[in-house]
Amino acid sequence: MRALAAIAVLALVVPVVLDEPPVTENPRFAGDVVVFYPEHPDDETLLGASAIRAALAQKGAGNVYVVLVSQGRGVAPALPGPSLAGMTLAEIGARRVSELGAAMRALGVEAGHVVVLPDLQPGPADNLAEMRATALRLERSEARAGRSVTHVAHSYVDDPNPLHRANGRVLKDLADAGLVHDALFWVRPYEKLVIPRPELRRFQALTPADVRAVRAAIRAYRHADPAAGLDAIGYRSTPWSFAMLSADGHLTSYLHTAAVPG
């Protein structure tokens, strides 16, 4: 009931938060390659689906990567649905990765460019260490080929999820140290209000194909088919976030630069 009440409140708040005009052209990604680092499955769709579509259009599918930092095995669904009781943590993680794969196919990300970082040791510290190592490896390997990289992670500023902020802090620290040369950070729609306007970048679904792709990615997380390894875990864990994205007629992704204090 609390989840449904939250969705009802969002129905009143969302039109105000999302009251922005459409963009005529998406911002350009500076890098030759664009890499997105969602902390958990569904983050990349909820926070960056239109940005991913823009990267695919600008750079080509061969130059866009989605690197999943954590499988989100400790998820606690807020809505009823297929039970996770009796599953091991590894099984829950595998189900969530299946949902991610379905959503990435919908967005047009190449299967070989969806990277799931290994959980070598339990806990977020290991995940974040793997994220840092992966970002540095990609930055250096592309630099040797004479190419640049734009890295996109969570905001280190006001995201209420501490794991999201820690994810963003990894990239922010790398950018501040000059170890990566272009960094952007996702924010939720209501968090854009605390971001200085000159540092905010808005990406939207500008074509019918983009709209279909983003809405198909949303459906991939909402669709439950346990026999196919799909339990709608992402949607059931944060239905209000899916409601907010779905209510936005422009399907906007909000990103900010590393110049934002924090």
Side-chain angles (χ1 to χ4, degrees):
M1 292 300 292
R2 282 181 296 182
L4 296 176
I7 293 174
V9 170
L10 281 174
L12 299 175
V13 174
V14 164
V16 176
V17 173
L18 300 179
D19 184 22
E20 289 201 46
V23 302
T24 57
E25 184 178 2
N26 280 320
R28 297 290 303 181
F29 288 100
D32 301 304
V33 174
V34 186
V35 186
F36 298 86
Y37 299 87
E39 180 65 19
H40 308 109
D42 73 32
D43 287 336
E44 80 300 323
T45 294
L46 290 171
L47 300 177
S50 289
I52 292 173
R53 286 291 297 180
L56 291 166
Q58 293 175 19
K59 309 300 178 182
N63 296 308
V64 177
Y65 293 83
V66 173
V67 177
L68 180 64
V69 176
S70 169
Q71 296 177 15
R73 297 174 176 182
V75 64
L79 292 181
S83 176
L84 304 184
M87 290 188 189
T88 66
L89 292 179
E91 288 170 336
I92 292 173
R95 297 261 171 167
R96 299 207 69 186
V97 169
S98 293
E99 294 178 8
L100 171 73
M104 293 305 92
R105 286 192 296 274
L107 286 180
V109 179
E110 292 184 354
H113 286 206
V114 179
V115 179
V116 180
L117 296 184
D119 282 326
L120 300 178
Q121 299 175 14
D126 176 63
N127 299 127
L128 296 173
E130 286 291 327
M131 174 188 170
R132 184 181 189 279
T134 300
L136 286 173
R137 185 166 58 251
L138 286 167
E139 180 82 12
R140 291 164 180 169
S141 65
E142 294 298 335
R144 287 194 295 271
R147 287 151 48 93
S148 59
V149 182
T150 295
H151 304 265
V152 184
H154 290 266
S155 179
Y156 50 87
V157 182
D158 274 327
D159 194 301
N161 187 318
L163 292 177
H164 288 185
R165 293 196 305 275
N167 170 300
R169 178 53 58 185
V170 169
L171 183 55
K172 170 66 169 169
D173 289 348
L174 289 173
D176 287 349
L179 296 174
V180 302
H181 294 91
D182 192 54
L184 293 169
F185 302 85
W186 284 310
V187 290
R188 303 171 198 246
Y190 53 85
E191 293 160 12
K192 70 179 185 183
L193 302 174
V194 303
I195 302 300
R197 197 74 177 185
E199 307 306 329
L200 190 65
R201 307 288 182 266
R202 290 187 300 143
F203 294 81
Q204 294 179 347
L206 298 184
T207 69
D210 290 335
V211 172
R212 287 193 297 270
V214 175
R215 295 207 177 276
I218 293 171
R219 287 195 300 274
Y221 279 112
R222 296 189 62 158
H223 178 60
D225 182 3
L230 303 173
D231 293 289
I233 300 171
Y235 171 69
R236 291 162 54 208
S237 64
T238 181
W240 39 85
S241 297
F242 280 92
M244 180 171 285
L245 177 59
S246 298
D248 177 4
H250 307 304
L251 299 167
T252 310
S253 302
Y254 300 92
L255 283 66
H256 69 73
T257 71
V260 174

